[in-house]
Amino acid sequence: MAPLPSTWRWQPVDDDGRKVECGAQVYSKDEDAPVRSIFHPKWLAMMLFTGLLAIAFFTLSPGLAIPIGSRKGGNSIGKPLRFAKDGTFQISIFGDLHFGENAWEQWGPQQDIWSTYVINQVLDAESQQLVVLNGDLITGENTFLENSTDYLNQIVAPLVQRDLSWASTYGNHDSQYNLSRENILAHERLYLNARTTQMVFGRDAGVTNYYLPVYSHKNKHKPALILWFFDSRGGFYYQEQDAAGDPIGQPDWVDQSVVDWFSTTNEQLTTDHRGPIPSVGFVHIPMNASRALQTEVGVRKHYQPGINHDYPLAQQAQGWCPDGANDGPCSYGGQDVPFMEAIASTPGMMALFSGHDHGDSWCYKWDTQLPGISMTGNGVNLCFGQHSGYGGYGTWTRGSRQVLVHENMLKDLDNLELETWIRLENQNVVGAVTLNSTYGQDRYPATKDTHTHCPTCVY
């Protein structure tokens, strides 16, 4: 079990200025000490020793991580994702961490400490091979231009300490006037264990559109599973203002250029490997099909277990008009229809995992035609994660959705199966289900509506 966070980071500094706080250490500053040349051999040795101590501190500190600039070696470079010897592959999904919220208030940094605690608790309780950071890593509107990407170091420190690799999608709060998706990606890529990348370029595409193959433990050449990552964008364009001096809004749906790339790339993978490859996808903002399932069909607590408090949920293209304007009375513009069509027509697509709506954590099988939606689902399961961070709205108990895939359950495209559950910050498990051909008919225990509060935050 991870140690409880403490407030050692916030020790007061003496009024006389004779103590200076630096990270987790408080150093004395003696202004009356005699001045010595730093070039004396003893002082050079002391400087070297101090430098080594500093490196050790930042390497071992539970709250910090220093990016490694070299991309040579490491956990993720030259080592493709692969099923374990027992034929399993597990993913831990952290969504809506919202680091950096109100950093100038006492409670802002405290929330980040407790969000780190959630990450540690989950990682200690599970046996994941990959971590997915599924959007809204940072509350970008509360950051400053000079430090907006620095919060990434705090987020990935628990992963670096465990030598875990990760892959990210970015959310609407990751694009703000002082925070750029491109800068977050550049910062991520300083780490050896980061698998986040960009495969589609252009102003309208977003950044985190890519795929990762997961290979069989035995077959090193053919992927057994494909992980798709999509950028639903949103927020505001970096350092851009309109004529009135206001930030310029960025569309919040998966762009057509990304849909075209996905369809073409998936067809090529199917051709290269002589048949469809089972897959799962990750996107921050859910599709309109999720909203239709929730509001038109209905979430049943024993058949789609999970909390269902964001009702109606906020989907892609919410607040946009069909003509692309977002300053009118429109509630939904329909721009995510091409993405929905692509997902619904992809053979072997088992599930699409999203976040964004902190108060929803259910999975729903889309296998019918839904009111207001022209296409029919192919059985893909549309799932929400669990609000993972103490930043962002809502006090539902924080946690992380887990995804466990068994390679032997991927052989028949008509009977694909995966297991999923939510690991809470107290290490309890809720909402455990099997996404198979009978999901939606099988009865499960309902998920209790529980809440947690930041115990060291003064709001």
Side-chain angles (χ1 to χ4, degrees), residues 37 69 80 95 145 152 154 172 190 194 201 236 251 300 302 317 326 338 372 404:
S37 169
L145 182 64
L152 184 70
Q154 299 177 52
N172 50 302
L190 295 174
F201 297 86
F236 296 89
R300 299 175 297 168
H302 286 292
N326 67 337
L404 180 63

Side-chain angles (χ1 to χ4, degrees), residues 190-203:
L190 295 174
Y191 285 94
L192 292 171
N193 289 18
R195 295 180 184 269
T196 311
T197 189
Q198 182 176 8
M199 293 184 178
V200 188
F201 297 86
R203 175 181 172 83

Side-chain angles (χ1 to χ4, degrees), residues 101-175:
E101 190 169 272
N102 283 52
W104 55 89
E105 304 268 9
Q106 181 273 350
W107 54 266
Q110 290 294 311
Q111 286 186 162
D112 294 346
I113 291 175
W114 282 92
S115 296
T116 301
Y117 168 72
V118 175
I119 297 173
N120 280 311
Q121 283 285 89
V122 171
L123 296 182
D124 285 349
E126 297 291 352
S127 301
Q128 59 283 306
Q129 288 124 294
L130 178 72
V131 170
V132 170
L133 304 174
N134 204 14
D136 282 1
L137 285 64
I138 301 168
T139 300
E141 58 268 38
N142 287 170
T143 64
F144 298 96
L145 182 64
E146 295 76 15
N147 73 341
S148 58
T149 60
D150 292 349
Y151 293 102
L152 184 70
N153 299 339
Q154 299 177 52
I155 295 171
V156 304
L159 284 57
V160 172
Q161 291 156 15
R162 295 167 174 82
D163 198 26
L164 286 169
S165 65
W166 71 86
S168 301
T169 69
Y170 299 151
N172 50 302
H173 287 278
D174 296 318
S175 276

Side-chain angles (χ1 to χ4, degrees), residues 90-110:
Q90 184 175 341
I91 303 168
S92 290
I93 306 172
F94 294 93
D96 297 284
L97 286 162
H98 284 281
F99 271 69
E101 190 169 272
N102 283 52
W104 55 89
E105 304 268 9
Q106 181 273 350
W107 54 266
Q110 290 294 311

Side-chain angles (χ1 to χ4, degrees), residues 180-215:
S180 159
R181 284 165 136 67
E182 290 80 5
N183 289 345
I184 298 176
L185 177 62
H187 202 97
E188 277 201 66
R189 296 300 295 168
L190 295 174
Y191 285 94
L192 292 171
N193 289 18
R195 295 180 184 269
T196 311
T197 189
Q198 182 176 8
M199 293 184 178
V200 188
F201 297 86
R203 175 181 172 83
D204 295 330
V207 171
T208 50
N209 299 292
Y210 59 103
Y211 74 91
L212 296 173
V214 183
Y215 293 90

Side-chain angles (χ1 to χ4, degrees), residues 307 430 446-450:
I307 58 174
V430 296
T447 297
K448 294 181 179 179
D449 181 15
T450 60

